[in-house]
Amino acid sequence: MKKPILLGISLAIIVGAGLGVLIWWLVAGRHSSFTTILLEENALGTIPYNAAFTRIRGAGDIFWWFYPTTRSDPSSQPLILWLDGVTGIPPSLLANFGMFGPYDLNMNERTNSWVDNYNLLFVDAPLGTGFSKAERDNQIPKSLEQNSNHLLNALESFYNRNSNYTTTPLYIFGEGHGAQLALSLAIKLAEDAPFEHNLKRVVIGNGIIDPTIALTKLGFYLEELAYVDNNGRNVLETFSNETRQLVADGQNGEAFDKFLSLGRVINEEAGAVAVNLAFIADKLTRESTAVADDFGLRKYVQDASHSRSDILKFMDETVAPALGISNDRVYDEGRVAVLEAFRNVFLLPAVHLIEYILQNTNYAVTIYNGNMDAVSNTPGQLEWIENLEWSGKDEFISSPRRTLIVNSRVEGYFRETPRLQFYWMNAAGLSVPFDSPVAMRRVLERILI
């Protein structure tokens, strides 16, 4: 297998030690603020792809991985850009191998992959998540503005390598905290994109948009589902009020620290005992809740996918070598530093970003929400959605709620206007494509046009 080499730099040979040093990066494009470093292509499985690091000067490397659709004339088919965020599982792992990429976590070809119909672009962001790496921890973005600049560079880098996709209809998906990244990138594209693109829509899945508002409904939500009693509801409402007050007082870091203890509070203080915040229908043992990673999502995906190996080791031991990524880059090793970087901004509401898009651009916004997610619980999401301030508010609120039926099964409900759509997704948690793939495919058919 041919290794990438750096164009413009000679092969350096250390004569004294008798050792050769291979400069193995292939630089495919140069820009005043970033360099595109292509990785090994088509070395993992049989489905074509290209992947790269966008090396941003003075910051670090953003990793992206692109699969052209297997349909004919790929550049005319929709392009899905998938983002996660600070508290989730990076797209190169969860979205790609865990949910809808060409292969599953056991490297078996997926029979219902989205690549059959759509172009897929997975971007690990922010720096420090997944294969993306900051030069130093203090280079990790501490704001959505900084992060959107990094994403803008990564997208330009992608288009430089795949120039025939600049007019392809683009849809930016953001799951969990990735919703904030998706919205800020869309605004950046609307305001001052230095390259051609064809963005059509932003899609938010169980988005962390106004998390303290969602918290206000959590006690009610879990009591109605019988996970806690009235005493437990009181505990959660006290927790919610204290967290919101910290944010109101500008103590955002302290509020974030408190927010991260939510799983312990629900299971130990509110009496739920064994609730997986990402998918509350998951039946756990008392002991399994002691392992708190990504709000329970990583363990859930690991168990539900029947992966034969630890999913993080899979990325280090199987994926990285195939892509030609150096073995000194440990997958998702910067997660703790990323959490620290976003500590003071994570809980700030991002509702204004949606309002800006609806009021100042032609982009549509689609929001879907799995009803088994505790953190972004559906009652809490509807609280801020129905209070969005924009010119189409009355039309959206008054539009009828319709039923989403697939194969004669009620998979959820939806309310829609041309600019804004909301989907209630039944029996699904934080990651709807993982929990309810058939219903999610129907949503895609409706919105990717």
Side-chain angles (χ1 to χ4, degrees):
M1 183 184 302
K2 177 170 66 68
K3 289 288 185 182
I5 59 175
L6 180 61
L7 297 182
I9 300 180
S10 303
L11 179 65
I13 302 176
I14 304 176
V15 177
L19 298 174
V21 178
L22 178 63
I23 310 296
W24 54 284
W25 297 112
L26 172 62
V27 179
R30 295 185 179 278
H31 187 275
S32 59
S33 60
F34 67 82
T35 299
T36 303
I37 303 171
L38 291 183
L39 301 175
E40 196 72 60
E41 296 187 11
N42 307 325
L44 192 71
T46 60
I47 305 297
Y49 67 81
N50 59 76
F53 289 116
T54 300
R55 178 156 294 169
I56 301 170
R57 184 170 302 162
D61 298 340
I62 293 284
F63 174 78
W64 55 262
W65 193 340
F66 173 60
Y67 288 96
T69 178
T70 56
R71 293 182 66 180
S72 60
D73 193 16
S75 62
S76 68
Q77 307 303 326
L79 168 60
I80 292 174
L81 189 168
W82 190 276
L83 299 167
D84 209 289
V86 174
T87 55
I89 300 176
S92 58
L93 170 51
L94 177 56
N96 187 7
F97 293 101
M99 296 200 295
F100 52 80
Y103 301 96
D104 65 19
L105 287 161
N106 295 310
M107 281 307 297
N108 298 318
E109 191 165 334
R110 186 174 275 115
T111 57
N112 59 346
S113 170
W114 291 8
V115 81
D116 297 339
N117 300 98
Y118 311 110
N119 301 289
L120 304 178
L121 176 59
F122 304 109
V123 181
D124 287 348
L127 288 173
T129 62
F131 282 127
S132 295
K133 185 176 182 179
E135 289 182 3
R136 297 175 300 278
D137 286 351
N138 62 8
Q139 297 293 339
I140 296 172
K142 294 180 172 61
S143 70
L144 289 178
E145 174 67 20
Q146 290 175 297
N147 194 82
S148 62
N149 287 331
H150 288 178
L151 288 171
L152 198 68
N153 286 336
L155 190 55
E156 183 174 5
S157 171
F158 160 76
Y159 281 131
N160 287 346
R161 170 60 181 82
N162 301 277
S163 58
N164 56 322
Y165 288 87
T166 56
T167 59
T168 299
L170 173 63
Y171 299 82
I172 303 177
F173 282 64
E175 180 174 279
H177 179 257
Q180 295 191 23
L181 310 186
L183 292 165
S184 61
L185 174 59
I187 293 173
K188 185 69 67 172
L189 289 172
E191 291 179 339
D192 56 6
F195 53 87
E196 185 179 2
H197 65 87
N198 189 18
L199 178 59
K200 297 292 188 182
R201 183 184 300 267
V202 182
V203 185
I204 296 170
N206 286 67
I208 296 178
I209 299 297
D210 199 337
T212 60
I213 285 291
L215 277 179
T216 65
K217 300 295 185 180
L218 183 56
F220 155 78
Y221 171 76
L222 291 180
E223 184 184 26
E224 290 298 301
L225 293 172
Y227 283 95
V228 300
D229 59 13
N230 187 62
N231 291 331
R233 175 175 177 170
N234 290 335
V235 167
L236 293 175
E237 289 180 347
T238 298
F239 177 91
S240 167
N241 292 333
E242 290 174 352
T243 305
R244 292 194 71 195
Q245 190 60 51
L246 285 171
V247 173
D249 293 341
Q251 299 182 58
N252 300 319
E254 292 79 0
F256 182 58
D257 295 341
K258 190 174 185 68
F259 177 72
L260 291 181
S261 70
L262 179 59
R264 179 189 59 77
V265 171
I266 289 175
N267 289 313
E268 296 180 16
E269 297 180 24
V273 180
V275 164
N276 178 353
L277 302 188
F279 187 69
I280 64 171
D282 190 19
K283 295 181 179 179
L284 304 176
T285 64
R286 181 188 297 268
E287 292 73 22
S288 64
T289 58
V291 182
D293 54 58
D294 307 306
F295 289 106
L297 183 59
R298 188 177 353 137
K299 183 181 185 304
Y300 172 61
V301 170
Q302 176 87 47
D303 294 344
S305 63
H306 307 292
S307 175
R308 292 190 290 265
S309 62
D310 178 89
I311 58 179
L312 296 185
K313 287 184 178 179
F314 166 74
M315 299 301 288
D316 283 326
E317 297 174 1
T318 300
V319 177
L323 294 177
I325 295 175
S326 172
N327 59 12
D328 64 357
R329 187 180 295 245
V330 178
Y331 191 78
D332 214 34
E333 66 178 337
R335 178 68 61 171
V336 173
V338 172
L339 287 169
E340 180 61 28
F342 275 80
R343 181 171 176 265
N344 289 309
V345 298
F346 183 91
L347 289 178
L348 297 180
V351 173
H352 64 286
L353 300 179
I354 298 180
E355 292 175 335
Y356 181 93
I357 290 173
L358 292 173
Q359 286 290 86
N360 298 283
T361 77
N362 293 321
Y363 308 148
V365 176
T366 297
I367 304 168
Y368 63 85
N369 217 77
N371 62 3
M372 294 286 103
D373 178 10
V375 177
S376 296
N377 59 83
T378 302
Q381 299 290 71
L382 289 171
E383 184 75 10
W384 61 260
I385 290 170
E386 293 177 351
N387 286 296
L388 288 170
E389 293 298 333
W390 64 295
S391 58
K393 176 179 179 178
D394 291 342
E395 180 188 6
F396 177 76
I397 296 297
S398 63
S399 62
R401 191 174 86 146
R402 299 162 61 189
T403 308
L404 184 69
I405 299 176
V406 185
N407 299 327
S408 301
R409 293 177 181 270
V410 177
E411 296 283 358
Y413 310 90
F414 62 95
R415 174 175 291 149
E416 63 180 356
T417 61
R419 296 292 309 287
L420 179 64
Q421 303 81 40
F422 181 78
Y423 286 82
W424 291 256
M425 305 301 289
N426 290 346
L430 167 60
S431 292
V432 174
F434 186 86
D435 296 321
S436 192
V438 173
M440 191 67 212
R441 288 295 290 260
R442 178 56 58 86
V443 173
L444 295 183
E445 292 168 2
R446 291 182 53 82
I447 65 176
L448 301 189
I449 53 176

